[in-house]
């Protein structure tokens, strides 16, 4: 992290947050990690039709030390997992990860011992992109959502407070629907979790 992380809270930090967020959003350099067929769609996104250069992302880092976004495109084998983690560890902070495609996100159709069942077992993931393979437009949309997340990221103590508030909000969430196993077997209708007697 930079010196902006050491600033005290207050009006100045808010102004620095806006400038730093805009600068980080406008200069995200990806370290492409193309492992399978999703990499073809990733290459297409960098081509002239979709042009990632519009967002300041034309430089794809050949070295992880010059990149701050890892796009994991395709299935991750057990042999490739340590290499992926090593590349991630060599990237400077702050860094972000997009899991591109269903194989990278959950193992996809490869439910076996050789494929990691989700890249989030290896590195923390910021954006999950579904599809087999996802279209370049979908990747562009996920990149724009990541840009929005980067631009609104807090700095210093404000970030710690923001992370804690998000964690508390997620922990206090109630499932939308609960279905007891016996009801599923009997074919009973699904009841909302907030309805009295839903957990009986």
């Amino acid at each position: 992290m930079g010196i902006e992380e050491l600033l005290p809270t207050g009006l100045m930090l808010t102004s620095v947050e806006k400038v730093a967020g805009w600068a980080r959003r406008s200069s995200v350099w990806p370290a492409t990690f193309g492992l399978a067929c999703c990499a073809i769609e990733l290459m297409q996104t960098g081509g002239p039709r979709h042009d990632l250069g519009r967002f300041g992302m034309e430089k794809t880092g050949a070295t992880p030390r010059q990149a701050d976004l890892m796009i994991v495109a395709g299935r991750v084998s057990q042999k490739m997992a340590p290499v992926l983690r090593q590349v991630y560890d060599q990237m400077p902070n702050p860094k972000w990860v997009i899991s591109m495609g269903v194989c990278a996100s959950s193992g996809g159709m490869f439910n076996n011992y050789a494929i990691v069942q989700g890249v989030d077992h290896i590195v923390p993931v910021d954006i999950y992109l579904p599809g087999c393979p996802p279209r370049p437009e979908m990747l562009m949309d996920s990149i724009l959502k990541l840009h929005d997340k980067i631009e609104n990221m807090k700095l210093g103590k404000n970030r710690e407070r923001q992370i804690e508030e998000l964690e508390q909000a997620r922990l206090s969430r109630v499932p939308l629907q609960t279905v007891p196993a016996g009801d599923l077997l009997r074919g009973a209708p699904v009841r909302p979790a907030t309805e009295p007697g839903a957990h009986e």
Side-chain angles (χ1 to χ4, degrees):
M1 300 292 185
I3 194 167
E4 70 273 4
E5 295 290 333
L6 305 175
L7 290 173
T9 59
L11 182 64
M12 185 174 173
L13 181 62
T14 305
S15 303
V16 171
E17 278 179 348
K18 289 179 182 175
V19 172
W22 175 82
R24 286 177 176 173
R25 174 191 67 88
S26 302
S27 61
V28 176
W29 289 354
T32 55
F33 213 85
L35 298 170
C37 40
C38 286
I40 304 300
E41 300 297 323
L42 174 62
M43 291 177 222
Q44 176 66 28
T45 309
R49 182 177 183 126
H50 300 285
D51 191 21
L52 279 177
R54 293 179 289 165
F55 307 109
M57 298 180 64
E58 66 275 359
K59 185 198 175 298
T60 55
T63 171
R65 290 175 180 85
Q66 296 176 357
D68 45 16
L69 169 64
M70 175 184 277
I71 302 174
V72 182
R75 61 190 178 270
V76 181
S77 67
Q78 296 288 352
K79 279 186 166 183
M80 187 56 75
V83 177
L84 181 102
R85 182 63 202 204
Q86 183 179 11
V87 169
Y88 177 80
D89 289 338
Q90 290 175 352
M91 291 167 61
N93 284 325
K95 51 191 168 187
W96 300 275
V97 177
I98 292 178
S99 175
M100 182 179 177
V102 70
C103 294
S105 300
S106 66
M109 66 195 88
F110 303 101
N111 188 10
N112 60 39
Y113 66 92
I115 301 298
V116 176
Q117 300 301 303
V119 74
D120 53 0
H121 293 287
I122 313 299
V123 293
V125 176
D126 295 288
I127 302 282
Y128 292 91
L129 176 58
C132 184
R135 299 268 312 136
E137 293 85 2
M138 295 170 69
L139 179 58
M140 297 275 285
D141 182 57
S142 67
I143 287 171
L144 292 176
K145 285 183 174 136
L146 182 65
H147 281 181
D148 186 53
K149 182 178 180 178
I150 292 169
E151 189 169 14
N152 296 314
M153 188 172 75
K154 302 290 185 187
L155 297 176
K157 294 180 181 176
N158 290 348
R159 181 183 314 138
E160 294 167 10
R161 191 178 313 118
Q162 181 185 33
I163 290 170
E164 189 175 319
E165 288 171 1
L166 288 171
E167 284 178 357
Q168 290 302 323
R170 288 180 185 146
L171 289 173
S172 64
R173 266 192 213 159
V174 179
L176 295 176
Q177 296 176 342
T178 58
V179 184
D183 288 357
L184 277 178
L185 295 174
R186 288 191 299 271
V190 177
R191 295 174 292 185
T194 55
E195 185 179 317
H199 298 288
E200 296 171 1

